[in-house]
Amino acid sequence: MFTQSEYALDRLRQALAGCAGGSGRLALVTGGLATGKTELLRAFAGQAAQRGALVLTATGSRAEHTLRGGLLDQLMRDSRLPSRARLAAVELTSTSDGSDELGTTAAAALHELGATLVELSRRQPIVVNVDDIQFADALSLHVLSYLRRRISSARVLMVLAQWARSRPCAALVHAEVTRRPELRIVLQRLTETQVPAEHYRLSGGNPLLVAALAEDPTGGAAYRRAVLDCLQRWEPHLMDVAHGLAIMGRHATPELIGRLTGLGAEEAEEAIDILTVAGLVHDGRLRHPLIAATVADKLKSAADVRLRAAELLYEQGADWMDIARLLVAAGTAPDRWAVDVLRHAAEEALREDDTDLAARSLAVTLAACGDERDRAPDQAALARVEWRDNPAVAARHLTSLREALRAGGLPARDAATVITQSLWHGHLDGIVELINQVRKRSGPGDAQAIAEIELAYEGSYGRLDGRPPTADNAWARAATLNDVWTYGVDTGTAAGAELILERRLGETDIHAVANALLVLEYAGSPDQAVKWCDQLLHEAATRGGTTWLAVLTGVRADMALRRGDVTGARERADAALGLLPKQSWGVLLGLPLSVLVRAATVQNDLEVPREVLGRVVPESMYRSVFGMRYLYARGLYHHARGRNIAALGDLEQCGAVLTGLGRDVPGLVPWRTGLASVQLSLGRPAAARTLLEHQLAHPGPVDSTRVRGATLRLLAAVSPADERPAILRQAAELSHESGDRLELAVALSEASVAFREVGAMREARSLARRAAREAKACGINGSAASSAGDADQAEDESGGVTTLSTAERRVATLAALGHSNRDIGRRLFVTVSTVEQHLTRVYRKLKVRSRNDLPAELAQVT
């Protein structure tokens, strides 16, 4: 029991004590729904019986309120009552005709019953305990009214409980029974200070709900049962009103609820007041979403009610999205107004990033539209919505949408959706014809749609033939962004990229966004590219666009790798791949896969690429630039494992496809550098030199400094020993200038070896230290770092090293720097077998077991 119930019980005990002294009285207990009236009466009945009172109990029932004498019959069931009292009650019930006035016989029976009870009270106090008096039948009320007038000097205590309500009862007899009680007890809801804050938010202090929450603090099944119990124990229309409040939400008013339920505004208002007193409603709304959900679930099959509610809100000019939620819940749009509402709501929902409502609204719209020409724009809109979270789901619409596009049934915006999503998935058959068809039909207002189509195609599949002369508008100029791969940067490159990147995600196709970021990154504005990419990543994470987030994370991973942040690149690429199912990536899967494979290969973690490369990828990916990134990364992986023939095949195919796409751009995919390295490992220095000299002469329109740095580093390997230091120093300077820390670390390491070979030991030690720092910063093999860290101790610890021959020192030095046997053989132009023989002698002379035990000071030995 709660504190107020204990207080009420004490007052009833006092009333009983007064009654036992010969002072009869009426105690009226009132309270809202589930405030503890029944529990109070039950507890008092038990205590009164213990104190020697004869307790006559009855409970009113909505189902029996028309049953003549129903309540009276309950009161007379106690076997301790005199038989004359029970006989009088039977006579009264049988002779009453149900009218307000009792006949002579019935009146006599009533008098006999009253007199018997008053006489009985002289021997024993009597408690007449009636719960839910508001449901009492008319005859029983006559009896209670008669007793009420005659108990002032009798030892009779009448305890009546009724619901608190805003309007008084219309029944005259009921009013007479409950008028001017000697004791009035009003049970209130618990206050905020008596209940934990979260429980108060859920219950409003309603004791029944509070008790349920004490049993299940999470607001689970016990709480939901208590909510329904509150609503079902009173008039039937309370549940209907609560349901109306649940589905009308913030638009609920007594007038609208009255129209929805058929009760009328006045009765609806009273029901809302009742629910407010009970704590279930606050400020005209259901107190908590869990209450609304419980009520809605109870009546979830009431589609007609939701449809009627939607119609009422439409008549009121309510928000499209609020009306749409009701139509979606009803699962139908029977009239044109409903279809229009759903279309408007889908657009608004998408702007507010509520993709679930947008998709469900469009699905109901599609189900309501029988004409294919009307369906196509809605289907395109649904494809856009679904694509934001899962492109594979959106792909189910493409076949029918392409047919609609061929038939000329789609505006440019929807045509762009169909074409860009087809390009995403590599559906290239007939795509150029469709693009040209859209171009011919486009008008001045379609510039953005045309630009998005061209950017999507050229960003993935190379130069698109038949481009019309560039119109004099910003979008037409932005559409030429991919010309940077052919002609290099011009004055409009940054402006075109920023036109795309300044817009909210979703207002521009993600192909265009990725294009703009990659152009800035590769074409001379890497700091701007990172700034924009991080800003858009934050937006994507905040707004919840899974596909946006995946693509942008993949782009950011590529940026990280280009800066030498190998660990960060690997983590981002792995995160990007985890955001979308593999079938949803389309040809862009090549971007994060290539970064992940290259990063793991650089870190010499060759098991990860093996697992990654074992995944099935779309065949169409191999016709795209992103597929060639993947093929390039795979070739480097094979090379690292010594599978040089497989590497040769991948890199040669990569070059051939890129040339065919018009994207043979060393700054984008430096396949010649990789191929030259393979040729060196195969003992073909002349072939390697040819590739490198060609690339050095044609470094491409973008990122030429980076390209020249990497090319010169490899060119040093096929140059005379006395020329290598200068070539490698220049390579390192170019790599540093381009911001390629990964290439810089390798160039410095190789320069250190080159300087040592010509006897410039001080320079060699300095370069080794720099190489170690760069390697550590990049997160790659730390052997170079350890050799630099020990450089100053080299002369003190080199005793055993001086016993090595010149050839043995060269092999041991490269091994200590982390180079594989194949790499050492390539650099020194000897076979792998010769390398192994030298290392065997080195291990014996230095008394070590493996290359991991080689002294780090080898690179600095004079």
Side-chain angles (χ1 to χ4, degrees), residues 478-505:
T480 66
L481 267 182
N482 286 299
D483 286 355
V484 74
W485 309 118
T486 305
Y487 307 113
V489 178
D490 63 24
T491 56
T493 301
E498 290 189 1
L499 173 68
I500 295 166
L501 300 174
E502 285 173 350
R503 301 171 73 86
R504 282 180 92 231
L505 287 171

PDB file of all heavy atoms in Angstrom, residues 478-505:
ATOM      1  N   ALA A 478      30.928  21.620 -64.722  1.00  0.00           N
ATOM      2  CA  ALA A 478      31.280  20.606 -63.717  1.00  0.00           C
ATOM      3  C   ALA A 478      31.306  19.210 -64.339  1.00  0.00           C
ATOM      4  O   ALA A 478      32.075  18.341 -63.895  1.00  0.00           O
ATOM      5  CB  ALA A 478      30.285  20.644 -62.558  1.00  0.00           C
ATOM      6  N   ALA A 479      30.490  18.995 -65.358  1.00  0.00           N
ATOM      7  CA  ALA A 479      30.438  17.681 -66.011  1.00  0.00           C
ATOM      8  C   ALA A 479      31.764  17.317 -66.660  1.00  0.00           C
ATOM      9  O   ALA A 479      32.007  16.142 -66.953  1.00  0.00           O
ATOM     10  CB  ALA A 479      29.321  17.664 -67.049  1.00  0.00           C
ATOM     11  N   THR A 480      32.627  18.306 -66.908  1.00  0.00           N
ATOM     12  CA  THR A 480      33.914  18.045 -67.572  1.00  0.00           C
ATOM     13  C   THR A 480      35.028  17.780 -66.572  1.00  0.00           C
ATOM     14  O   THR A 480      36.202  17.760 -66.951  1.00  0.00           O
ATOM     15  CB  THR A 480      34.298  19.244 -68.462  1.00  0.00           C
ATOM     16  OG1 THR A 480      34.545  20.390 -67.637  1.00  0.00           O
ATOM     17  CG2 THR A 480      33.184  19.581 -69.444  1.00  0.00           C
ATOM     18  N   LEU A 481      34.698  17.558 -65.301  1.00  0.00           N
ATOM     19  CA  LEU A 481      35.737  17.342 -64.289  1.00  0.00           C
ATOM     20  C   LEU A 481      36.712  16.238 -64.686  1.00  0.00           C
ATOM     21  O   LEU A 481      37.913  16.336 -64.435  1.00  0.00           O
ATOM     22  CB  LEU A 481      35.096  16.975 -62.946  1.00  0.00           C
ATOM     23  CG  LEU A 481      34.811  18.091 -61.945  1.00  0.00           C
ATOM     24  CD1 LEU A 481      34.228  17.503 -60.675  1.00  0.00           C
ATOM     25  CD2 LEU A 481      36.067  18.878 -61.643  1.00  0.00           C
ATOM     26  N   ASN A 482      36.185  15.168 -65.276  1.00  0.00           N
ATOM     27  CA  ASN A 482      37.062  14.043 -65.608  1.00  0.00           C
ATOM     28  C   ASN A 482      38.013  14.338 -66.753  1.00  0.00           C
ATOM     29  O   ASN A 482      38.887  13.512 -67.045  1.00  0.00           O
ATOM     30  CB  ASN A 482      36.211  12.802 -65.917  1.00  0.00           C
ATOM     31  CG  ASN A 482      35.626  12.194 -64.650  1.00  0.00           C
ATOM     32  OD1 ASN A 482      36.351  11.768 -63.765  1.00  0.00           O
ATOM     33  ND2 ASN A 482      34.301  12.189 -64.553  1.00  0.00           N
ATOM     34  N   ASP A 483      37.860  15.499 -67.387  1.00  0.00           N
ATOM     35  CA  ASP A 483      38.841  15.894 -68.399  1.00  0.00           C
ATOM     36  C   ASP A 483      40.222  16.107 -67.786  1.00  0.00           C
ATOM     37  O   ASP A 483      41.229  16.139 -68.496  1.00  0.00           O
ATOM     38  CB  ASP A 483      38.399  17.191 -69.092  1.00  0.00           C
ATOM     39  CG  ASP A 483      37.249  16.956 -70.063  1.00  0.00           C
ATOM     40  OD1 ASP A 483      36.875  15.773 -70.255  1.00  0.00           O
ATOM     41  OD2 ASP A 483      36.723  17.937 -70.613  1.00  0.00           O
ATOM     42  N   VAL A 484      40.253  16.248 -66.453  1.00  0.00           N
ATOM     43  CA  VAL A 484      41.539  16.462 -65.787  1.00  0.00           C
ATOM     44  C   VAL A 484      42.485  15.293 -66.037  1.00  0.00           C
ATOM     45  O   VAL A 484      43.709  15.462 -66.086  1.00  0.00           O
ATOM     46  CB  VAL A 484      41.314  16.686 -64.273  1.00  0.00           C
ATOM     47  CG1 VAL A 484      40.971  15.387 -63.574  1.00  0.00           C
ATOM     48  CG2 VAL A 484      42.534  17.310 -63.626  1.00  0.00           C
ATOM     49  N   TRP A 485      41.928  14.083 -66.228  1.00  0.00           N
ATOM     50  CA  TRP A 485      42.773  12.905 -66.457  1.00  0.00           C
ATOM     51  C   TRP A 485      43.424  12.939 -67.838  1.00  0.00           C
ATOM     52  O   TRP A 485      44.391  12.227 -68.082  1.00  0.00           O
ATOM     53  CB  TRP A 485      41.958  11.632 -66.307  1.00  0.00           C
ATOM     54  CG  TRP A 485      41.178  11.555 -65.033  1.00  0.00           C
ATOM     55  CD1 TRP A 485      39.826  11.486 -64.911  1.00  0.00           C
ATOM     56  CD2 TRP A 485      41.686  11.552 -63.690  1.00  0.00           C
ATOM     57  NE1 TRP A 485      39.450  11.447 -63.593  1.00  0.00           N
ATOM     58  CE2 TRP A 485      40.580  11.485 -62.816  1.00  0.00           C
ATOM     59  CE3 TRP A 485      42.961  11.613 -63.145  1.00  0.00           C
ATOM     60  CZ2 TRP A 485      40.714  11.467 -61.440  1.00  0.00           C
ATOM     61  CZ3 TRP A 485      43.107  11.586 -61.769  1.00  0.00           C
ATOM     62  CH2 TRP A 485      41.995  11.519 -60.930  1.00  0.00           C
ATOM     63  N   THR A 486      42.859  13.775 -68.723  1.00  0.00           N
ATOM     64  CA  THR A 486      43.408  13.889 -70.077  1.00  0.00           C
ATOM     65  C   THR A 486      44.202  15.170 -70.273  1.00  0.00           C
ATOM     66  O   THR A 486      45.309  15.161 -70.825  1.00  0.00           O
ATOM     67  CB  THR A 486      42.272  13.837 -71.122  1.00  0.00           C
ATOM     68  OG1 THR A 486      41.509  12.640 -70.919  1.00  0.00           O
ATOM     69  CG2 THR A 486      42.824  13.864 -72.542  1.00  0.00           C
ATOM     70  N   TYR A 487      43.644  16.276 -69.804  1.00  0.00           N
ATOM     71  CA  TYR A 487      44.241  17.588 -70.092  1.00  0.00           C
ATOM     72  C   TYR A 487      44.875  18.258 -68.873  1.00  0.00           C
ATOM     73  O   TYR A 487      45.514  19.308 -69.009  1.00  0.00           O
ATOM     74  CB  TYR A 487      43.173  18.524 -70.669  1.00  0.00           C
ATOM     75  CG  TYR A 487      42.462  17.936 -71.859  1.00  0.00           C
ATOM     76  CD1 TYR A 487      41.113  17.605 -71.784  1.00  0.00           C
ATOM     77  CD2 TYR A 487      43.143  17.687 -73.049  1.00  0.00           C
ATOM     78  CE1 TYR A 487      40.447  17.053 -72.868  1.00  0.00           C
ATOM     79  CE2 TYR A 487      42.482  17.137 -74.141  1.00  0.00           C
ATOM     80  CZ  TYR A 487      41.138  16.811 -74.048  1.00  0.00           C
ATOM     81  OH  TYR A 487      40.490  16.262 -75.118  1.00  0.00           O
ATOM     82  N   GLY A 488      44.678  17.696 -67.716  1.00  0.00           N
ATOM     83  CA  GLY A 488      45.217  18.302 -66.516  1.00  0.00           C
ATOM     84  C   GLY A 488      44.277  19.351 -65.932  1.00  0.00           C
ATOM     85  O   GLY A 488      43.149  19.552 -66.391  1.00  0.00           O
ATOM     86  N   VAL A 489      44.762  20.012 -64.884  1.00  0.00           N
ATOM     87  CA  VAL A 489      43.947  20.981 -64.159  1.00  0.00           C
ATOM     88  C   VAL A 489      43.817  22.264 -64.959  1.00  0.00           C
ATOM     89  O   VAL A 489      44.765  22.712 -65.603  1.00  0.00           O
ATOM     90  CB  VAL A 489      44.594  21.286 -62.795  1.00  0.00           C
ATOM     91  CG1 VAL A 489      43.788  22.326 -62.031  1.00  0.00           C
ATOM     92  CG2 VAL A 489      44.726  20.012 -61.979  1.00  0.00           C
ATOM     93  N   ASP A 490      42.619  22.842 -64.944  1.00  0.00           N
ATOM     94  CA  ASP A 490      42.447  24.182 -65.513  1.00  0.00           C
ATOM     95  C   ASP A 490      41.789  25.071 -64.464  1.00  0.00           C
ATOM     96  O   ASP A 490      41.539  24.644 -63.336  1.00  0.00           O
ATOM     97  CB  ASP A 490      41.654  24.146 -66.820  1.00  0.00           C
ATOM     98  CG  ASP A 490      40.225  23.623 -66.633  1.00  0.00           C
ATOM     99  OD1 ASP A 490      39.699  23.721 -65.506  1.00  0.00           O
ATOM    100  OD2 ASP A 490      39.637  23.128 -67.598  1.00  0.00           O
ATOM    101  N   THR A 491      41.490  26.280 -64.833  1.00  0.00           N
ATOM    102  CA  THR A 491      40.963  27.251 -63.864  1.00  0.00           C
ATOM    103  C   THR A 491      39.584  26.865 -63.344  1.00  0.00           C
ATOM    104  O   THR A 491      39.174  27.342 -62.282  1.00  0.00           O
ATOM    105  CB  THR A 491      40.893  28.647 -64.505  1.00  0.00           C
ATOM    106  OG1 THR A 491      40.103  28.558 -65.710  1.00  0.00           O
ATOM    107  CG2 THR A 491      42.278  29.159 -64.853  1.00  0.00           C
ATOM    108  N   GLY A 492      38.881  26.024 -64.068  1.00  0.00           N
ATOM    109  CA  GLY A 492      37.524  25.668 -63.633  1.00  0.00           C
ATOM    110  C   GLY A 492      37.439  24.386 -62.839  1.00  0.00           C
ATOM    111  O   GLY A 492      36.358  24.025 -62.377  1.00  0.00           O
ATOM    112  N   THR A 493      38.582  23.705 -62.664  1.00  0.00           N
ATOM    113  CA  THR A 493      38.533  22.405 -61.982  1.00  0.00           C
ATOM    114  C   THR A 493      38.035  22.530 -60.551  1.00  0.00           C
ATOM    115  O   THR A 493      37.098  21.839 -60.131  1.00  0.00           O
ATOM    116  CB  THR A 493      39.923  21.747 -61.997  1.00  0.00           C
ATOM    117  OG1 THR A 493      40.353  21.567 -63.348  1.00  0.00           O
ATOM    118  CG2 THR A 493      39.878  20.393 -61.299  1.00  0.00           C
ATOM    119  N   ALA A 494      38.647  23.407 -59.778  1.00  0.00           N
ATOM    120  CA  ALA A 494      38.255  23.556 -58.371  1.00  0.00           C
ATOM    121  C   ALA A 494      36.822  24.044 -58.249  1.00  0.00           C
ATOM    122  O   ALA A 494      36.056  23.575 -57.385  1.00  0.00           O
ATOM    123  CB  ALA A 494      39.197  24.518 -57.667  1.00  0.00           C
ATOM    124  N   ALA A 495      36.416  24.971 -59.119  1.00  0.00           N
ATOM    125  CA  ALA A 495      35.048  25.497 -59.057  1.00  0.00           C
ATOM    126  C   ALA A 495      34.035  24.402 -59.356  1.00  0.00           C
ATOM    127  O   ALA A 495      32.987  24.307 -58.699  1.00  0.00           O
ATOM    128  CB  ALA A 495      34.897  26.654 -60.047  1.00  0.00           C
ATOM    129  N   GLY A 496      34.337  23.557 -60.359  1.00  0.00           N
ATOM    130  CA  GLY A 496      33.423  22.467 -60.685  1.00  0.00           C
ATOM    131  C   GLY A 496      33.296  21.476 -59.546  1.00  0.00           C
ATOM    132  O   GLY A 496      32.198  21.005 -59.225  1.00  0.00           O
ATOM    133  N   ALA A 497      34.423  21.161 -58.911  1.00  0.00           N
ATOM    134  CA  ALA A 497      34.383  20.228 -57.785  1.00  0.00           C
ATOM    135  C   ALA A 497      33.597  20.808 -56.622  1.00  0.00           C
ATOM    136  O   ALA A 497      32.777  20.121 -55.991  1.00  0.00           O
ATOM    137  CB  ALA A 497      35.810  19.894 -57.351  1.00  0.00           C
ATOM    138  N   GLU A 498      33.813  22.081 -56.329  1.00  0.00           N
ATOM    139  CA  GLU A 498      33.134  22.687 -55.181  1.00  0.00           C
ATOM    140  C   GLU A 498      31.640  22.866 -55.434  1.00  0.00           C
ATOM    141  O   GLU A 498      30.845  22.821 -54.488  1.00  0.00           O
ATOM    142  CB  GLU A 498      33.796  24.008 -54.833  1.00  0.00           C
ATOM    143  CG  GLU A 498      35.186  23.815 -54.241  1.00  0.00           C
ATOM    144  CD  GLU A 498      35.790  25.084 -53.679  1.00  0.00           C
ATOM    145  OE1 GLU A 498      35.106  26.134 -53.734  1.00  0.00           O
ATOM    146  OE2 GLU A 498      36.926  25.034 -53.188  1.00  0.00           O
ATOM    147  N   LEU A 499      31.234  23.054 -56.681  1.00  0.00           N
ATOM    148  CA  LEU A 499      29.796  23.117 -56.984  1.00  0.00           C
ATOM    149  C   LEU A 499      29.115  21.836 -56.521  1.00  0.00           C
ATOM    150  O   LEU A 499      28.004  21.864 -55.972  1.00  0.00           O
ATOM    151  CB  LEU A 499      29.588  23.309 -58.490  1.00  0.00           C
ATOM    152  CG  LEU A 499      28.133  23.219 -58.976  1.00  0.00           C
ATOM    153  CD1 LEU A 499      27.323  24.404 -58.457  1.00  0.00           C
ATOM    154  CD2 LEU A 499      28.053  23.157 -60.494  1.00  0.00           C
ATOM    155  N   ILE A 500      29.773  20.733 -56.735  1.00  0.00           N
ATOM    156  CA  ILE A 500      29.222  19.434 -56.336  1.00  0.00           C
ATOM    157  C   ILE A 500      29.304  19.243 -54.833  1.00  0.00           C
ATOM    158  O   ILE A 500      28.341  18.822 -54.180  1.00  0.00           O
ATOM    159  CB  ILE A 500      29.985  18.314 -57.061  1.00  0.00           C
ATOM    160  CG1 ILE A 500      29.742  18.392 -58.573  1.00  0.00           C
ATOM    161  CG2 ILE A 500      29.590  16.944 -56.526  1.00  0.00           C
ATOM    162  CD1 ILE A 500      30.686  17.554 -59.400  1.00  0.00           C
ATOM    163  N   LEU A 501      30.449  19.576 -54.254  1.00  0.00           N
ATOM    164  CA  LEU A 501      30.695  19.259 -52.844  1.00  0.00           C
ATOM    165  C   LEU A 501      29.976  20.190 -51.884  1.00  0.00           C
ATOM    166  O   LEU A 501      29.770  19.845 -50.717  1.00  0.00           O
ATOM    167  CB  LEU A 501      32.197  19.291 -52.571  1.00  0.00           C
ATOM    168  CG  LEU A 501      33.020  18.289 -53.396  1.00  0.00           C
ATOM    169  CD1 LEU A 501      34.511  18.505 -53.152  1.00  0.00           C
ATOM    170  CD2 LEU A 501      32.622  16.863 -53.066  1.00  0.00           C
ATOM    171  N   GLU A 502      29.590  21.361 -52.343  1.00  0.00           N
ATOM    172  CA  GLU A 502      28.897  22.308 -51.463  1.00  0.00           C
ATOM    173  C   GLU A 502      27.450  21.909 -51.201  1.00  0.00           C
ATOM    174  O   GLU A 502      26.826  22.407 -50.262  1.00  0.00           O
ATOM    175  CB  GLU A 502      28.924  23.702 -52.083  1.00  0.00           C
ATOM    176  CG  GLU A 502      30.276  24.395 -51.984  1.00  0.00           C
ATOM    177  CD  GLU A 502      30.318  25.692 -52.762  1.00  0.00           C
ATOM    178  OE1 GLU A 502      29.369  25.951 -53.535  1.00  0.00           O
ATOM    179  OE2 GLU A 502      31.300  26.438 -52.618  1.00  0.00           O
ATOM    180  N   ARG A 503      26.898  21.026 -51.992  1.00  0.00           N
ATOM    181  CA  ARG A 503      25.486  20.646 -51.840  1.00  0.00           C
ATOM    182  C   ARG A 503      25.345  19.555 -50.781  1.00  0.00           C
ATOM    183  O   ARG A 503      26.281  18.799 -50.499  1.00  0.00           O
ATOM    184  CB  ARG A 503      24.936  20.159 -53.182  1.00  0.00           C
ATOM    185  CG  ARG A 503      25.052  21.215 -54.271  1.00  0.00           C
ATOM    186  CD  ARG A 503      24.702  20.654 -55.632  1.00  0.00           C
ATOM    187  NE  ARG A 503      23.272  20.417 -55.778  1.00  0.00           N
ATOM    188  CZ  ARG A 503      22.393  21.330 -56.157  1.00  0.00           C
ATOM    189  NH1 ARG A 503      22.788  22.568 -56.418  1.00  0.00           N
ATOM    190  NH2 ARG A 503      21.123  21.035 -56.295  1.00  0.00           N
ATOM    191  N   ARG A 504      24.149  19.494 -50.216  1.00  0.00           N
ATOM    192  CA  ARG A 504      23.872  18.425 -49.243  1.00  0.00           C
ATOM    193  C   ARG A 504      23.976  17.074 -49.926  1.00  0.00           C
ATOM    194  O   ARG A 504      23.642  16.925 -51.094  1.00  0.00           O
ATOM    195  CB  ARG A 504      22.454  18.551 -48.678  1.00  0.00           C
ATOM    196  CG  ARG A 504      22.257  19.593 -47.637  1.00  0.00           C
ATOM    197  CD  ARG A 504      20.812  19.588 -47.172  1.00  0.00           C
ATOM    198  NE  ARG A 504      20.567  18.733 -46.025  1.00  0.00           N
ATOM    199  CZ  ARG A 504      19.615  17.814 -45.964  1.00  0.00           C
ATOM    200  NH1 ARG A 504      18.851  17.567 -47.005  1.00  0.00           N
ATOM    201  NH2 ARG A 504      19.430  17.110 -44.869  1.00  0.00           N
ATOM    202  N   LEU A 505      24.447  16.091 -49.171  1.00  0.00           N
ATOM    203  CA  LEU A 505      24.442  14.735 -49.691  1.00  0.00           C
ATOM    204  C   LEU A 505      23.006  14.349 -50.053  1.00  0.00           C
ATOM    205  O   LEU A 505      22.065  14.624 -49.316  1.00  0.00           O
ATOM    206  CB  LEU A 505      24.992  13.766 -48.638  1.00  0.00           C
ATOM    207  CG  LEU A 505      26.500  13.830 -48.403  1.00  0.00           C
ATOM    208  CD1 LEU A 505      26.874  12.989 -47.183  1.00  0.00           C
ATOM    209  CD2 LEU A 505      27.261  13.359 -49.622  1.00  0.00           C
TER     210      LEU A 505
END
